[in-house]
Amino acid sequence: MIYGQELIDELYQKRILPKDKLIALLQAQNPELDAYLFSISQRIAIEQFGRRIYTRGLIEFTNYCKNNCYYCGIRRDNRHVQRYRLTTEQILNCCRQGYQLGFRTFVLQGGEDPYFTDQRMEEIIRQIKGEFPDCALTLSIGEKSRDSYQRLFDAGANRYLLRHETANDAHYAQLHPPELSLANRKRCLWDLKAIGYQVGCGFMVGSPGQTPETLAEDLLFIHELAPQMIGIGPFLHHQQTPFAQQPDGSMELTLFLIGLLRLMIPNALIPSTTALATIHPRGRELGILAGANVVMPNLSPTDVRAQYTLYDNKACTGEEAAESWAQLQKQMHSIGYCLAVDRGDFKPEVHGTQQK
Ligand code: SAM
């Protein structure tokens, strides 16, 4: 028996462990334990979703941001960024191109840009939903009041991604300036859930100041929130941020955490992120084999991609949407999976097929 195996079995059965056991499990990560974990997490993902990978078309529609997060390349104080905003017509064109390729979910992601008022966002949402009624629309535009979230939901948005970044107050303060708080981030997530969005939280693996203890707190918070989506990827430094000299997060630990999250919430929608694809040439495939079931290729116009740099050397900044779909399909085929033309909504758990 490999050290840590019993803890994985216990997590698999109970869906959560006490904090001290989570810490012990995270500290036990090694290639042998990875192999054991992934044999279970991969099987669970296949039971829940088959070998079909959901796709989300990511549209990075503004890189203006009023926030100054220490880790992020598009933070307010980075004067080297050439700022851009897409027009509604440009956004719709991204969706049109994506729809042709097979995307049935669009993700509007951006910095916290005050230009995009609730009214402007409602208009964009209505237009997208009007033209693509069979598609799901996900927003990822940061912290807002409950009223604003409600207005955007009523306009037709279905899902919302807002990584909690870390569930530990002191660690949160190491990553963000004082005007941002974990309490407000959590309030946003609970509001979004109460309104009826499919909600995604998540964190960067290996962010400065992260420890097995803070990671255990992340897992406990995720268990409590029970989100429909969980986004994690390695922290990657950006040279024009206060964290320029900080080491990047580890791919191995990211994959291990994807595996643990799959055990905790079998039917969660878990992307194999661009950050994983950036840190390793086969990162995207390895994420799927660890238990992820979603990919989020970029649909943004190629001429603005390079300006949406959250971290250095971001993968796929030059590819056209069609190219990246074909490339991803090839990557998925190479590991026995395929891309699905599907909204890929959160569905009730498939029961009764799991065997140890
Ligand atoms: N403004 C929105 C928000 O705060 O949720 C969405 C955009 S924000 C840039 C999206 C995510 O990028 C963040 O939640 C963060 O986890 C991730 N990110 C930012 N900088 C990063 C870095 N240096 N390395 C890896 N991920 C990063």
Side-chain angles (χ1 to χ4, degrees):
M1 165 105 58
I2 316 158
Y3 176 70
Q5 193 175 323
E6 280 171 31
L7 292 170
I8 287 178
D9 291 343
E10 194 180 336
L11 182 68
Y12 177 48
Q13 279 154 21
K14 299 185 178 159
R15 306 276 168 103
I16 193 64
L17 295 174
K19 188 171 168 185
D20 56 335
K21 287 191 176 177
L22 286 173
I23 293 172
L25 179 52
L26 289 162
Q27 286 171 331
Q29 186 260 323
N30 66 31
E32 228 186 333
L33 194 59
D34 288 348
Y36 181 71
L37 171 63
F38 300 158
S39 71
I40 303 174
S41 56
Q42 196 185 107
R43 196 193 66 226
I44 297 175
I46 293 170
E47 282 167 1
Q48 298 297 324
F49 308 101
R51 290 176 180 270
R52 296 168 69 247
I53 301 302
Y54 294 148
T55 58
R56 308 341 189 165
L58 183 63
I59 304 170
E60 296 157 338
F61 70 106
T62 172
N63 71 350
Y64 282 87
C65 192
K66 67 180 168 68
N67 290 334
N68 228 355
C69 307
Y70 302 142
Y71 45 84
C72 185
I74 60 167
R75 63 199 302 271
R76 182 181 71 223
D77 282 356
N78 185 359
R79 305 273 169 244
H80 303 280
V81 184
Q82 204 182 323
R83 304 284 171 174
Y84 73 87
R85 289 185 182 108
L86 300 187
T87 62
T88 306
E89 197 47 32
Q90 283 177 305
I91 295 173
L92 283 166
N93 276 334
C94 295
C95 297
R96 287 174 192 137
Q97 216 189 352
Y99 193 88
Q100 290 290 322
L101 288 168
F103 290 97
R104 294 297 177 266
T105 291
F106 302 116
V107 183
L108 288 184
Q109 186 175 85
E112 291 199 18
D113 180 356
Y115 170 85
F116 288 101
T117 57
D118 291 348
Q119 210 183 341
R120 287 196 169 110
M121 286 310 301
E122 283 172 324
E123 189 47 38
I124 294 169
I125 294 166
R126 289 212 179 90
Q127 291 215 34
I128 295 177
K129 294 295 284 195
E131 193 169 330
F132 305 99
D134 56 335
C135 293
L137 184 57
T138 305
L139 300 178
S140 179
I141 50 177
E143 298 178 15
K144 293 186 178 293
S145 67
R146 179 162 176 160
D147 268 6
S148 295
Y149 287 145
Q150 186 69 57
R151 282 179 64 170
L152 305 180
F153 185 77
D154 294 342
N158 311 98
R159 308 182 187 141
Y160 207 103
L161 301 176
L162 185 76
R163 290 184 173 181
H164 64 283
E165 312 296 0
T166 171
N168 176 285
D169 281 298
H171 186 213
Y172 199 90
Q174 276 180 271
L175 301 178
H176 302 96
E179 62 273 16
L180 296 173
S181 74
L182 176 58
N184 195 49
R185 199 86 178 165
K186 285 186 175 171
R187 189 272 306 155
C188 290
L189 285 164
W190 288 112
D191 281 351
L192 289 162
K193 218 174 168 209
I195 290 168
Y197 283 94
Q198 290 176 44
V199 172
C201 68
F203 54 90
M204 295 173 289
V205 178
S207 62
Q210 187 176 71
T211 62
E213 182 168 8
T214 65
L215 279 174
E217 290 174 39
D218 287 320
L219 298 182
L220 288 164
F221 173 68
I222 290 172
H223 178 72
E224 189 193 346
L225 180 69
Q228 286 83 10
M229 306 174 282
I230 310 161
I232 64 166
F235 159 75
L236 299 170
H237 73 279
H238 185 293
Q239 55 187 338
Q240 288 144 2
T241 64
F243 289 164
Q245 307 303 326
Q246 297 291 331
D248 290 342
S250 113
M251 176 176 79
E252 289 71 20
L253 187 56
T254 307
L255 297 173
F256 192 70
L257 280 154
I258 289 176
L260 297 182
L261 289 164
R262 176 59 67 210
L263 264 53
M264 288 171 55
I265 310 186
N267 52 344
L269 301 160
I270 304 179
S272 189
T273 55
T274 305
L276 255 183
T278 300
I279 206 169
H280 189 280
R282 291 194 68 239
R284 193 109 59 183
E285 293 91 313
L286 295 172
I288 300 296
L289 296 174
N293 74 309
V294 173
V295 291
M296 292 174 65
N298 206 320
L299 283 183
S300 315
T302 40
D303 58 330
V304 300
R305 296 252 190 106
Q307 268 88 263
Y308 199 89
T309 4
L310 310 179
Y311 42 79
D312 291 348
N313 310 314
K314 191 175 164 199
C316 307
T317 45
E319 284 167 4
E320 293 289 347
E323 266 178 80
S324 62
W325 176 281
Q327 170 73 9
L328 270 173
Q329 187 70 280
K330 218 164 106 188
Q331 288 174 349
M332 293 304 116
H333 283 164
S334 78
I335 52 170
Y337 290 73
C338 66
L339 298 179
V341 177
D342 191 315
R343 272 173 58 118
D345 281 302
F346 181 76
K347 295 190 187 81
E349 206 175 308
V350 175
H351 283 292
T353 56
Q354 291 186 15
Q355 276 169 15
K356 289 205 68 191

